[in-house]
Amino acid sequence: MPGAPALLGEPGDAEDVPADLDRLLRPLFRSAGPDGGVAVVVIRGEERTVACRGQSDHPGRHPVRADTRFELGSVTKTFTGLLLAEMAARGEVRYDDPIDRYLPANAVPGYPHERPITLLHLATHTSGLPRLPVGLRPAAAPRWFTRPCATFGSTHLLGALPRTPVRGTPGTQVRYSNLGCGLLGLLLANAAGQRYDDLLAARVCGPLGLVDTSCGPGREDVGGYRRGGRVPSFRLPALPGASAVRSTADDMLRYLQAHLSLDAVPLPERADPAVLRTALAEVRRPRVGRRRGGTRLCLGWNQRGVGGDVGGPGDDGAVGAAGEPAEGEGAVELVFQAGSTRGFSAFVGFSPRAQVGLAVLAGAWSGVRVLRDRGFVQGAYETLRTLAAQRGTAAGSAAGPAAGSVVDPVVGPAAAAG
């Protein structure tokens, strides 16, 4: 029935999913290997599908379901970007606020230039901050194969910031930084006087009805495995805004639907639809970009316009203009983000004009192959592109994420290893 989710549990239940969609999704279901688990969400106009395959544990006792929780890795950055846009829409913060405003006086990075780092710089990887905090790797080494980042808390982060180098002038170069996005989450929490997880629940997850989405451990149905042993859940308490969110296929369906059309998502009485609508429009607006491959940076999201040169920074990462695509010139955008932790990979994307959305949540129990396989990201992106093309758009001519773009699905120990 149009609009009703079709749930797919076992491989033999393909009749619950349209045949053309079942064929399209098969490569994604193979991404976690023969003993992994995958949940896929697809929105095609009024049609919504949640399809699950595989197991949520190494012994294979529990099948993946629509309410199975997965670690999202860098997809967390889209939640932090939405939180920034929501608070900006309320007038609680401004995009050009300097980070000094929300940090203790003794915890501000030193600047080689007079131009300060702003909240927008953190959200768009243009702050000049390094990829990871100073001191994280030494702290992680003793627990490299268990919880390498779990002991690096906010106290360590604030102590490391004054010793953190800032490369170049903020706002002029794109350099991927988990530190920057995680610091953004901390500063927003400071501005609101709440913990990041509580703020996210109050401003984003609660209003959108994301009942199983949070940074806390919650009910961890899925866990990564390495050499037959369970890998503890990923933790980076100093920077939850970079990689800490966990979610389910059911919640990602609502999350995608909100980005496509907030009116289709029932909101609680306490929610402010005008604020959410403004924030959801702001997060997908391009801020900076790269000429190589045409990837542009939004608030936590990547965007690729279809048709012609989309402008933006050059191959050296220099920041340029990144306006909206012009009408009538292949103005179809694919908005997406990917992320990984030690045992999980995730991809989330949508096309507002085509009214399609895709989320792929995967866990591999026989090792960490899935999180290091960039083919997972490329395959998910190609699936999103195909879905948009099938909806009669020009998206079929778009290329996949290019080498050198800031799409970086690996967060956590793999990233810490460089």
Side-chain angles (χ1 to χ4, degrees), residues 233-282:
S233 298
F234 177 72
R235 297 285 187 272
L236 182 52
L239 302 170
S243 59
V245 170
R246 294 148 170 81
S247 191
T248 67
D250 273 346
D251 277 6
M252 295 313 295
L253 174 62
R254 293 179 66 90
Y255 189 58
L256 282 170
Q257 187 60 69
H259 283 82
L260 291 172
S261 175
L262 183 61
D263 293 336
V265 178
L267 299 177
E269 291 184 3
R270 66 180 183 277
D272 188 331
V275 167
L276 285 172
R277 188 170 289 107
T278 298
L280 288 164
E282 283 293 304

Side-chain angles (χ1 to χ4, degrees), residues 10-96:
E10 298 297 326
D13 293 337
E15 65 273 13
D16 293 334
V17 173
D20 65 319
L21 185 57
D22 181 62
R23 288 190 297 271
L24 182 63
L25 298 183
R26 285 175 188 172
L28 299 180
F29 285 121
R30 292 194 291 267
S31 61
D35 58 350
V38 181
V40 178
V41 173
V42 177
I43 297 176
R44 298 193 293 186
E46 297 300 316
E47 178 188 271
R48 300 170 180 84
T49 300
V50 177
C52 304
R53 294 282 177 88
Q55 308 300 318
S56 65
D57 62 339
H58 183 53
R61 291 189 296 263
H62 306 290
V64 172
R65 306 189 315 175
D67 62 351
T68 297
R69 276 166 56 96
F70 290 80
E71 295 176 3
L72 300 185
S74 277
V75 174
T76 298
K77 294 175 174 64
T78 70
F79 287 85
T80 303
L82 182 55
L83 186 55
L84 169 61
E86 197 271 354
M87 294 180 67
R90 291 178 181 272
E92 297 172 343
V93 301
R94 295 170 57 91
Y95 292 115
D96 59 357

Side-chain angles (χ1 to χ4, degrees), residues 172-239:
T172 61
Q173 295 283 321
V174 176
R175 295 187 177 94
Y176 189 85
S177 176
N178 286 316
L179 168 58
C181 292
L183 181 59
L184 174 61
L186 176 64
L187 300 187
L188 294 175
N190 288 347
Q194 290 182 275
R195 295 172 57 250
Y196 175 84
D197 198 12
D198 295 335
L199 183 61
L200 192 67
R203 301 299 186 88
V204 174
C205 297
L208 296 183
L210 310 182
V211 296
D212 286 319
T213 300
S214 70
C215 300
R219 171 181 43 79
E220 297 296 344
D221 291 339
V222 180
Y225 285 79
R226 182 180 185 273
R227 298 179 179 175
R230 187 180 177 97
V231 175
S233 298
F234 177 72
R235 297 285 187 272
L236 182 52
L239 302 170

